[in-house]
Amino acid sequence: MRDLERRYRQLLRAYPAAYRQARGGEIVGTYLDLAAPDRRWPSILDVGDVLAGGGRERLRAAGAADLIPGVRLAAVLSHLTATALAGFWAAAEVVTTPGVWGSPAFGPFATTGIVVWACWLLAAVVHVLGPARWARAAIGLALVSTVAVVPVAALFELPRPYLFVLLPQAALGVLALALPSHTVLRHRLAPLPIALGAALVAAGVLAGKGAWFYRFSYGGAFLPETGAVLLLAAMLAAAVLSLRGDARGIWALLVLLTPVGLLALGPLTENVAPVVGAGHADFRVGAGTAVAVLIAGVAALTGALAVRARSGATADTPVVPVRERCPACGR
């Protein structure tokens, strides 16, 4: 048990120093009591539990305990947006005529993107019918398909969605993994009718147009508008919740800045190209713009956390007591 205890104490570095001094022995003792007699290393679940608990306590010490509820709110909005986009592009894959003017196709569909969008729509259905862990697994599958379609399409020389379409979808998916464990049924159902409405819009806009129109206008006319809608929704939620003294909307807005920026990656790249002296918006300009968007989003969130940590819990900021839970069983 001595090696196991030492390794648990090493894991406790995830907690703030003051918290370790006050409760470190109690936490380690709890894990040791629940461990098997012959165990020498902490289990993967215990490692995740300790790291998550340490992260929560560090946020609480920095006065940003409401960041995690804000991330969950951002996850709900991200999942809603990702499902709506999947409905739009899945319909576009079907209603456009593949292979026009010699352009390649993926069977009866315009590109291999149909597999990606089907996975995202499946994740929305699983979120309605199954528990949260099933929904996260389905979102993880959709996220893997979003990334894997690039090398697979290159390997088999098949058409695929453009990177400035797949990149924001992946960013939305990463956030969607933080969906709340308990959500009322009407909220879980919301993405499905919105995805259906987006599919009907796609059918009306792209019906009768060839795959060349679909592929070469891929997101150029729709993704920035989607980002604007997501930004407005986040701003509205932040304003309404702030009036109630709830800061999670502001955190959700800060977290969503990165996917909003990536949704506008196409026009952003076109505007950045002449500034950096590029003749056109090529891959290097697009990659640089995407990295800049990511850095700006992380910097905004990090700056807000630094400001919150510096200000601390002021007298005019109500501190809500949180009931301590057992670090092993969560009760």
Side-chain angles (χ1 to χ4, degrees):
M1 278 291 187
R2 184 172 300 172
D3 289 340
L4 182 61
E5 180 179 356
R6 175 171 52 83
R7 288 165 181 146
Y8 271 120
R9 290 194 178 278
Q10 290 175 345
L11 282 176
L12 282 184
R13 294 176 182 174
Y15 284 84
Y19 194 90
R20 292 199 306 269
Q21 293 175 0
R23 302 200 56 185
E26 177 186 350
I27 295 174
V28 171
T30 301
Y31 282 115
L32 292 177
D33 290 342
L34 297 175
D38 57 345
R39 178 173 287 280
R40 298 183 59 189
W41 291 87
S43 67
I44 295 178
L45 292 178
D46 285 352
V47 171
D49 189 58
V50 172
L51 294 180
R56 284 193 298 268
E57 290 303 325
R58 287 188 179 275
L59 289 174
R60 188 177 301 170
D66 42 9
L67 172 61
I68 294 176
V71 171
R72 294 195 183 105
L73 176 58
V76 172
L77 294 175
S78 296
H79 183 242
L80 190 67
T81 305
T83 307
L85 287 173
F88 185 95
W89 296 124
E93 295 276 356
V94 175
V95 301
T96 52
T97 305
V100 174
W101 294 354
S103 60
F106 182 63
F109 306 106
T111 74
T112 50
I114 187 63
V115 178
V116 177
W117 313 131
C119 288
W120 282 106
L121 294 175
L122 174 63
V125 174
V126 171
H127 184 47
V128 174
L129 300 178
R133 64 180 183 276
W134 291 8
R136 294 191 186 98
I139 292 171
L141 175 63
L143 196 54
V144 169
S145 70
T146 306
V147 176
V149 71
V150 177
V152 170
L155 180 63
F156 294 99
E157 298 183 350
L158 294 170
R160 59 162 173 80
Y162 288 136
L163 288 176
F164 68 78
V165 174
L166 296 174
L167 194 56
Q169 191 77 15
L172 292 168
V174 170
L175 282 177
L177 290 172
L179 281 173
S181 298
H182 303 287
T183 311
V184 295
L185 179 60
R186 65 178 182 274
H187 292 165
R188 299 200 306 271
L189 284 170
L192 296 180
I194 292 178
L196 177 60
L200 293 175
V201 171
V205 171
L206 299 176
K209 301 184 184 297
W212 66 270
F213 178 88
Y214 161 59
R215 291 175 61 194
F216 287 96
S217 66
Y218 215 143
F222 307 109
L223 289 178
E225 286 78 3
T226 302
V229 172
L230 177 59
L231 180 62
L232 289 174
M235 291 174 64
L236 179 61
V240 172
L241 291 173
S242 295
L243 292 175
R244 303 175 182 176
D246 190 342
R248 58 180 170 149
I250 297 176
W251 291 116
L253 176 61
L254 290 170
V255 170
L256 287 169
L257 288 179
T258 297
V260 166
L262 292 176
L263 283 166
L265 187 59
L268 281 177
T269 302
E270 293 176 357
N271 287 302
V272 167
V275 175
V276 297
H280 61 283
D282 57 14
F283 175 78
R284 290 178 301 174
V285 178
T289 305
V291 171
V293 168
L294 179 61
I295 292 174
V298 172
L301 184 59
T302 304
L305 286 170
V307 170
R308 193 68 176 269
R310 183 175 298 179
S311 61
T314 57
D316 56 350
T317 302
V319 178
V320 180
V322 179
R323 181 176 64 88
E324 295 293 344
R325 297 189 296 178
C326 172
C329 66
R331 296 181 178 178

